[in-house]
Amino acid sequence: MAIDRSKFIGRFVEEARDHLVRLDRGLAEMAQGSAGEGITASEIDALFRSAHTIKGSARMLRLLPICDTAHAIEDLLGAFRSRQVQADAGLSALLQRGVDAIASAVDQLDRQPDPDALAPADAGLCAALSAAATPGDAPRPAAPAANQTSERAATQEAKAASAPASAPTPAPAAPPTSGLSDSDTLRVRLDHLDGLIRLMGEIIAQHDRLRLRPDEARRIARGAEAEIAPACEAFAHSLREDVQDQEVLIRELHDRALALRMLPLSILFEPAARNLRQLARSLGKEVRCTITGDAISLDRQLIDELADPLLHLLRNAVDHGLEPPDERQAAGKPASGSVRLEARRDGRWVEITIRDDGRGINVAAARDKAIRKGLLSAEQAGTASDSEIVDLIFTPGFSTSALITDISGRGVGMDVVKSIVLDRLQGSIQVDNRPGLGATFRLRLPLSLAIMRVLLIEAGGETLGFLAQHVAEILRLSRDSLLEVAERRAVIVRNEFVPVMPLAELLNPAFKVAPATATAAEASPQVLLVILRIGQEKLALEVDVLRDERDLVVKPVPEHLRHLHLVSGFVSSGALAVVSVLHAPAVLDLAARARGQSVSDGARTMATAGERVNRLLVVDDSLNTREIEKDVLQAHGYSVTLAEDGIDGLHKAMREQFDAVLTDVEMPRMDGFTLTERLRALDAYQATPIVIVTSREKEEDRQRGLRVGADAYIVKGDFDQSNLIGTLRALLG
């Protein structure tokens, strides 16, 4: 059955116009600059992403004239980005011609939503753009007059000023069995719905302040004269009941208002699946696409934003993941590949999974590419774990593809996925790579961005918030339970080391939060920890007070404050002033940089001592534990290679000889006991020191460790870095 493209043309037009405005503005800045000085590398990246997004969406709807022109624009912007070609006014004018051509086609689609009526792409223009992207003697067009360059932009601005704020949103097709007739539905402008949601947010914020009034009334009643105290108490009681009744009604009204903007995921999944099959056929591959959970509804804003990440992930699954039929059969797989697109509801969240049974992410190629691009040194790439290498696919401009095509290979798609899912949608991404068996991407997203669960805390005298989906757990522990590891503190949580940082100290001075004094910290026998989790990475933040946790309206960061990368939005709660909601991924990045600086300082100190560097293999399925053990060992002059489970550790040990191996016990695929036993069976590792570091503290486990060949057995609960280092020095001599 052919795709009903008319359902999606309206949304494509809206999205394309947003990106065309960004391209217009960027090219105007480029034209004004001298030899490319008017635009930065990050701005060129943004222009590239806009052209790439238009191309991808156009390709999905088979708007080939727009797709071809956007691809040619992308070629030239890619040449700017890689510094193969220097931007100048002439080339910006050529790009502007391409943008204008796309804008004309988009305008035509808006007037007449018939993709087949579009004129073919201007072959001469596309050829000129592609030629200009080739370094060397390609002819350069002359720069047009400035008024010509900005003519269409000015016209667009004039149109925008006089046009309605937004075109009506096409209502989703009614299910065949619903029996709805035209008289049962009403088309409403999207901006009117947005206005209603914003107003509901203000009402909820106002009601939060009203919730404090009954407590104030009760305090007044306690201090009132005896003759009026009973009446005051009764008033306070009635006021509380009225506020609670009103809260129920407001929540229901808000939920119903939000439901007006909810759309089923089928509006994304159905065309994506068709596009996936068409793309596979164009590549000579066979694919079965299975969809589940597409009846789940998400906020219209999330649906719009998700289109691009979904498109990029599916295109990568087909182009990079799935093997050609003959290669699959040679590997013992069915000739037809499988891609599963699944959604499931989890409370106020939805998890979208894209799973393929292809070759998986080529970790070796990614490791090599990271070295060639200068992202990692050869030593860093050699010691990084496979999951750390896989995470590099989200780096702008990073691709393991040897060939750049109009489908993939430019290293922009996964950058788009990360920036949209993490930054705009407040979600998270998890990658599960199985070499030879396929890759799985899990996107965890809120059902709506209008109201979200927020944890309010206090640190350094400042009230701050975290979105609840990033909070793994909250612990109140004895301060004595914290460990001192590589000059940083850590705590053991469920068999893994988690670094600990005081939030006030971490944010100061960037956030101007008063750091806690050492005296105050020592005075408290307990420490309150909020543990953030992004993917496999965890961070325990020491805070002073837990203020509240509730559903709150999160207002986006206004344009003039976008430079505050640590803030993802603002909330207003009760009598509190406006509260900043911290961007958890940015906080984890900030903490990682702070820890990395300390460790690298220690490593440099040891390196200058001229001591022989022993090479260690650390095997643990916890990213945090691996990182902390690496920090400890590097700070004492060891070279460390990481492995994320027993199989990974065994493979790395067989590829190169290490001076010692440290391994956890509880790991997927192969546990530490089996790993130790397998290593001892190898001639190269019969005399190599093996240390088991685990939370298993039973004597029978110790004895088993010794039986399989371990030289030392360290329990994490008693972890002391001096004990670990002392043990290694004794074993290594």
Side-chain angles (χ1 to χ4, degrees):
M1 184 175 65
I3 182 174
D4 181 7
R5 290 179 291 175
S6 62
K7 289 169 54 180
F8 309 102
I9 292 297
R11 291 177 53 210
F12 171 80
V13 168
E14 290 179 27
E15 181 188 63
R17 281 178 169 161
D18 286 344
H19 287 290
L20 287 169
V21 169
R22 294 172 198 165
L23 284 163
D24 276 332
R25 290 173 180 166
L27 293 178
E29 292 178 13
M30 187 185 296
Q32 291 170 2
S34 172
E37 294 176 0
I39 189 166
T40 65
S42 62
E43 288 168 336
I44 289 178
D45 283 341
L47 296 181
F48 188 95
R49 285 194 293 270
S50 286
H52 189 79
T53 298
I54 292 174
K55 185 189 75 171
S57 299
R59 185 183 182 87
M60 177 178 279
L61 295 175
R62 284 181 284 139
L63 307 173
L64 297 184
I66 296 177
C67 178
D68 292 345
T69 307
H71 179 64
I73 291 173
E74 198 183 51
D75 275 341
L76 185 48
L77 289 172
F80 291 167
R81 194 168 67 164
S82 62
R83 300 183 184 277
Q84 292 178 313
V85 174
Q86 184 69 43
D88 59 29
L91 293 179
S92 75
L94 181 61
L95 284 168
Q96 187 69 61
R97 284 179 54 198
V99 172
D100 288 347
I102 294 176
S104 297
V106 170
D107 288 345
Q108 181 183 337
L109 276 176
D110 191 22
R111 293 190 302 271
Q112 181 185 2
D114 178 6
D116 297 330
L118 286 178
D122 184 336
L125 174 60
C126 291
L129 286 163
S130 297
T134 305
D137 300 329
R140 300 294 180 87
N147 58 346
Q148 290 178 333
T149 304
S150 59
E151 180 180 356
R152 192 181 64 77
T155 303
Q156 283 194 339
E157 289 178 3
K159 286 181 179 179
S162 59
S166 175
T169 306
T177 58
S178 66
L180 293 179
S181 64
D182 290 344
S183 60
D184 295 323
T185 61
L186 175 66
R187 300 184 70 169
V188 180
R189 287 175 57 93
L190 181 61
D191 57 339
H192 289 179
L193 276 180
D194 289 342
L196 176 63
I197 299 298
R198 283 195 296 272
L199 181 58
M200 284 304 307
E202 295 297 332
I203 291 174
I204 289 177
Q206 178 64 33
H207 182 76
D208 283 340
R209 289 189 283 274
L210 189 61
R211 292 171 72 233
L212 301 177
R213 299 296 181 254
D215 290 337
E216 294 175 6
R218 295 197 66 175
R219 284 195 293 272
I220 293 172
R222 291 192 195 101
E225 298 290 341
E227 60 270 20
I228 63 170
C232 289
E233 284 284 356
F235 172 75
H237 182 73
S238 299
L239 181 58
R240 180 179 296 279
E241 289 185 341
D242 291 344
V243 169
Q244 290 174 344
D245 290 344
Q246 185 177 353
E247 182 169 338
V248 172
L249 293 174
I250 287 177
R251 294 292 176 184
E252 183 176 351
L253 181 58
H254 186 261
D255 288 345
R256 288 177 179 267
L258 283 182
L260 297 175
R261 284 202 326 185
M262 303 292 268
L263 293 174
L265 275 168
S266 59
I267 202 169
L268 276 178
F269 284 9
E270 288 178 5
R274 294 189 182 101
N275 181 264
L276 183 75
R277 289 190 289 269
Q278 292 165 359
L279 178 60
R281 283 193 291 271
S282 71
L283 295 172
K285 298 180 180 179
E286 301 173 15
V287 63
R288 290 174 287 103
C289 184
T290 307
I291 294 176
T292 58
D294 60 338
I296 295 173
S297 293
L298 287 183
D299 189 287
R300 154 72 190 256
Q301 183 182 354
L302 282 147
I303 292 282
D304 286 345
E305 296 279 7
L306 263 179
D308 283 344
L310 197 60
L311 173 69
H312 291 303
L313 289 172
L314 290 174
R315 287 157 64 98
N316 278 355
V318 173
D319 197 24
H320 295 319
L322 296 185
E323 311 93 330
D326 55 346
E327 185 178 332
R328 290 181 61 84
Q329 289 178 320
K333 297 180 178 179
S336 178
S338 171
V339 175
R340 298 183 64 85
L341 189 52
E342 304 167 337
R344 71 176 185 90
R345 182 93 177 257
D346 180 13
R348 288 181 171 272
W349 311 97
V350 63
E351 183 175 285
I352 297 177
T353 303
I354 300 96
R355 187 195 320 270
D356 69 72
D357 69 344
R359 58 172 69 93
I361 299 170
N362 188 334
V363 177
R367 202 182 298 271
D368 181 61
K369 189 65 173 286
I371 297 172
R372 284 190 281 115
K373 287 184 69 70
L375 297 175
L376 297 175
S377 67
E379 180 182 1
Q380 289 171 327
T383 59
S385 67
D386 287 356
S387 59
E388 290 175 307
I389 295 297
V390 168
D391 282 344
L392 292 175
I393 64 175
F394 296 107
T395 305
F398 189 91
S399 173
T400 57
S401 176
L403 179 66
I404 295 177
T405 68
D406 62 335
I407 298 172
S408 61
R410 297 172 187 274
V412 68
M414 301 308 291
D415 174 30
V416 170
V417 172
K418 181 181 179 183
S419 64
I420 291 179
V421 173
L422 267 64
D423 298 338
R424 295 192 208 170
L425 303 185
Q426 307 297 337
S428 61
I429 309 172
Q430 185 177 352
V431 185
D432 178 16
N433 183 46
R434 299 175 300 158
L437 299 176
T440 301
F441 292 81
R442 290 187 177 84
L443 313 182
R444 184 172 168 82
L445 303 161
L447 288 175
S448 170
L449 296 176
I451 187 167
M452 304 181 75
R453 195 79 175 169
V454 178
L455 173 68
L456 297 175
I457 55 90
E458 185 175 312
E462 187 80 14
T463 300
L464 301 161
F466 287 104
L467 296 180
Q469 72 263 31
H470 298 312
V471 179
E473 56 187 310
I474 299 170
L475 299 175
R476 189 182 293 277
L477 303 171
S478 166
R479 192 171 290 279
D480 295 338
S481 63
L482 300 184
L483 306 171
E484 193 73 25
V485 180
E487 301 180 0
R488 294 284 180 182
R489 289 186 299 169
V491 63
I492 298 176
V493 182
R494 306 186 206 295
N495 193 35
E496 68 176 319
F497 291 104
V498 178
V500 176
M501 298 201 75
L503 179 58
E505 179 182 310
L506 181 64
L507 297 181
N508 187 54
F511 215 72
K512 297 182 179 177
V513 174
T517 63
T519 303
E522 292 168 357
S524 174
Q526 291 195 318
V527 58
L528 181 59
L529 301 176
V530 174
I531 299 182
L532 302 183
R533 175 173 185 165
I534 303 293
Q536 299 182 59
E537 190 175 1
K538 288 183 180 177
L539 173 67
L541 291 171
E542 183 179 347
V543 304
D544 300 332
V545 179
L546 296 179
R547 284 294 182 199
D548 201 355
E549 180 186 357
R550 68 170 69 168
D551 294 334
L552 292 171
V553 176
V554 181
K555 298 182 178 179
V557 178
E559 190 68 34
H560 68 282
L561 294 178
R562 291 286 168 85
H563 62 283
L564 300 175
H565 300 300
L566 289 172
V567 179
S568 61
F570 298 97
V571 296
S572 175
S573 175
L576 300 172
V578 173
V579 173
S580 299
V581 178
L582 296 178
H583 189 39
V587 172
L588 263 68
D589 287 344
L590 182 63
R593 289 198 297 274
R595 295 198 306 273
Q597 183 62 45
S598 171
V599 172
S600 61
D601 289 346
R604 278 196 295 271
T605 300
M606 298 303 297
T608 55
E611 299 176 0
R612 179 185 179 275
V613 176
N614 284 305
R615 301 180 67 253
L616 308 181
L617 175 64
V618 172
V619 189
D620 199 301
D621 62 324
S622 162
L623 170 64
N624 301 285
T625 298
R626 291 196 303 268
E627 290 296 327
I628 286 182
E629 289 184 359
K630 184 176 78 170
D631 286 357
V632 171
L633 297 167
Q634 285 184 337
H636 287 80
Y638 294 104
S639 172
V640 180
T641 294
L642 301 177
E644 53 201 21
D645 57 39
I647 294 289
D648 188 25
L650 182 62
H651 289 167
K652 287 180 175 173
M654 293 172 69
R655 283 200 297 267
E656 55 185 311
Q657 179 67 44
F658 292 95
D659 297 308
V661 178
L662 287 77
T663 180
D664 186 20
V665 170
E666 298 284 357
M667 294 182 292
R669 301 205 296 170
M670 180 185 288
D671 63 38
F673 291 142
T674 307
L675 172 64
T676 303
E677 197 168 25
R678 296 284 296 273
L679 287 175
R680 286 299 185 219
L682 302 174
D683 291 341
Y685 283 90
Q686 288 187 354
T688 301
I690 299 178
V691 181
I692 291 179
V693 184
T694 177
S695 60
R696 288 192 179 190
E697 52 186 349
K698 293 182 179 178
E699 183 57 26
E700 61 192 59
D701 292 321
R702 294 177 190 270
Q703 292 301 321
R704 185 179 175 187
L706 295 177
R707 283 199 303 273
V708 296
D711 296 286
Y713 193 100
I714 297 176
V715 178
K716 287 178 180 175
D718 304 325
F719 183 84
D720 181 337
Q721 62 174 328
S722 60
N723 180 28
L724 175 64
I725 298 303
T727 300
L728 279 172
R729 285 176 176 164
L731 292 171
L732 291 169

